[in-house]
């Protein structure tokens, strides 16, 4: 269960918020622009837009930045046209990866992603090589101190969740993307705090990696996520908690 979402949570606890603020804003602005272009600028009728606006609020992005990004997407303001591209790849230890980017120059971004992969012991793969392993799901990571297992299970199943898993410290709740908002609201109504709540790509199976290989995987993912055009990296690694915590604190 020690997968990518746990890594992000561990890393986030140790990271100074301001250090990544500029990069975070850039990525959110791109996402707002593209989603508004594809589904319209009204969050009431565009649930994907609503979710990204919430992400912008959580990142303390000024509301004027949000409004301008949406208007650039709907064409009310001139702006750069971004293209959605997904790269499929393998990292160290055979870890499967999906790399989602928004770019205004596909050739430049492709070359830069290929360079990062080469330097960090990864390889780009052909279309369809790993995407079949991933399914889009609503995902919630919840500390066990927040609720008893049976109580939480009843709450999330009633709201439309499909599955719940647990380990010594956490619960993981999964739902169909269209039920994400309902499950999130049900948790909020019961004052249950989530360490992570997002619509993400969940792997059907995981690859166990440890030791130096595990650190190589995390280093590769960090390098990709630092790239301005990379919106999300999804990976199917299973790394022991102690390694995640160790690397996050370095």
């Amino acid at each position: 269960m020690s997968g990518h979402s746990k890594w992000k949570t561990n890393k986030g606890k140790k990271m100074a918020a301001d250090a990544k603020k500029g990069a975070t804003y850039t990525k959110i602005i791109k996402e707002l622009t593209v989603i508004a272009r594809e589904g319209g600028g009204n969050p009431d009728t565009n649930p994907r837009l609503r979710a990204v606006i919430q992400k912008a609020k959580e990142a303390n992005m000024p509301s004027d930045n949000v409004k301008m990004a949406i208007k650039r997407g709907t064409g009310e303001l001139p702006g750069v046209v971004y293209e959605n591209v997904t790269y499929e790849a393998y990292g160290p230890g055979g870890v499967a990866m999906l790399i989602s980017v928004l770019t205004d120059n596909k050739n430049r971004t492709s070359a830069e992603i290929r360079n990062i992969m080469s330097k960090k012991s990864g390889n780009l793969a052909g279309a369809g090589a790993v995407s079949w392993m991933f399914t889009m799901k609503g995902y919630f990571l919840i500390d066990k101190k927040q609720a008893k297992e049976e109580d939480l299970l009843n709450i999330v199943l009633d709201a439309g969740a499909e599955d719940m898993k647990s380990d010594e410290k956490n619960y993981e709740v999964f739902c169909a993307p269209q039920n994400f908002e309902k499950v999130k609201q049900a948790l909020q109504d019961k004052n249950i705090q989530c360490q992570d709540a997002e619509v993400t790509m969940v792997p059907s199976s995981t690859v166990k990696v440890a030791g130096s290989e595990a650190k190589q995987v995390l280093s590769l993912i960090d390098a990709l996520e630092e790239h301005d055009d990379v919106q999300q990296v999804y990976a199917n690694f299973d790394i022991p908690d102690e390694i995640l915590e160790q690397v996050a604190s370095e």
Side-chain angles (χ1 to χ4, degrees):
M1 271 184 55
S2 301
H4 194 191
S5 292
K6 279 192 179 180
W7 163 238
K8 290 193 298 182
T9 303
N10 272 302
K11 186 173 64 169
K13 288 177 182 176
K14 307 291 194 301
M15 189 185 297
D18 288 343
K20 292 283 185 178
K21 186 174 285 185
T24 298
Y25 283 7
T26 300
K27 293 179 189 230
I28 292 175
I29 285 169
K30 287 183 182 180
E31 200 171 0
L32 286 165
T33 302
V34 169
I35 290 173
R37 186 184 75 208
E38 293 175 348
N42 183 352
D44 293 333
T45 56
N46 188 344
R48 289 174 64 209
L49 182 62
R50 189 163 64 242
V52 182
I53 290 173
Q54 181 59 37
K55 187 197 296 186
K57 287 179 180 176
E58 291 168 0
N60 296 316
M61 179 183 286
S63 59
D64 284 349
N65 293 29
V66 174
K67 291 173 185 174
M68 289 177 67
I70 293 171
K71 286 182 178 180
R72 281 195 289 269
T74 58
E76 295 171 72
L77 289 175
V80 177
V81 176
Y82 296 108
E83 182 180 2
N84 266 309
V85 185
T86 299
Y87 299 97
E88 302 186 35
Y90 290 102
V95 169
M97 303 170 66
L98 289 179
I99 306 158
S100 175
V101 310
L102 288 175
T103 178
D104 60 352
N105 186 329
K106 185 177 175 181
N107 290 336
R108 170 185 55 77
T109 301
S110 294
E112 291 171 356
I113 296 297
R114 191 178 297 278
N115 187 43
I116 292 170
M117 298 298 294
S118 176
K119 285 181 177 179
K120 296 287 185 177
S121 305
N123 295 289
L124 288 178
V130 304
S131 57
W132 60 272
M133 301 183 199
F134 294 84
T135 306
M136 185 170 284
K137 296 282 185 185
Y139 174 84
F140 302 86
L141 182 67
I142 302 163
D143 191 295
K144 278 197 164 181
K145 297 173 185 174
Q146 290 288 319
K148 293 180 180 177
E149 185 166 2
E150 187 175 344
D151 293 340
L152 181 62
L153 185 61
N154 288 332
I155 291 165
V156 298
L157 288 179
D158 287 346
E162 297 174 341
D163 193 15
M164 188 172 90
K165 299 177 182 178
S166 66
D167 62 12
E168 296 119 7
K169 297 180 182 178
N170 303 296
Y171 303 111
E172 290 182 307
V173 176
F174 303 88
C175 68
Q178 61 268 28
N179 291 333
F180 176 77
E181 293 290 344
K182 287 191 287 185
V183 175
K184 186 177 181 181
Q185 188 61 53
L187 293 169
Q188 288 175 348
D189 290 345
K190 297 294 184 180
N191 295 316
I192 296 173
Q193 303 294 316
C194 298
Q195 296 180 66
D196 190 19
E198 62 181 339
V199 176
T200 186
M201 298 297 284
V202 175
S204 58
S205 61
T206 56
V207 175
K208 290 185 181 293
V209 283
S212 61
E213 207 166 54
K215 293 182 179 181
Q216 284 183 320
V217 170
L218 298 178
S219 177
L220 169 58
I221 289 173
D222 273 354
L224 289 167
E225 289 181 338
E226 285 171 6
H227 191 286
D228 283 347
D229 293 343
V230 174
Q231 294 296 109
Q232 297 284 349
V233 179
Y234 307 104
N236 73 337
F237 62 75
D238 181 354
I239 292 175
D241 285 350
E242 57 269 22
I243 295 179
L244 293 179
E245 291 167 5
Q246 178 191 345
V247 174
S249 64
E250 289 175 352

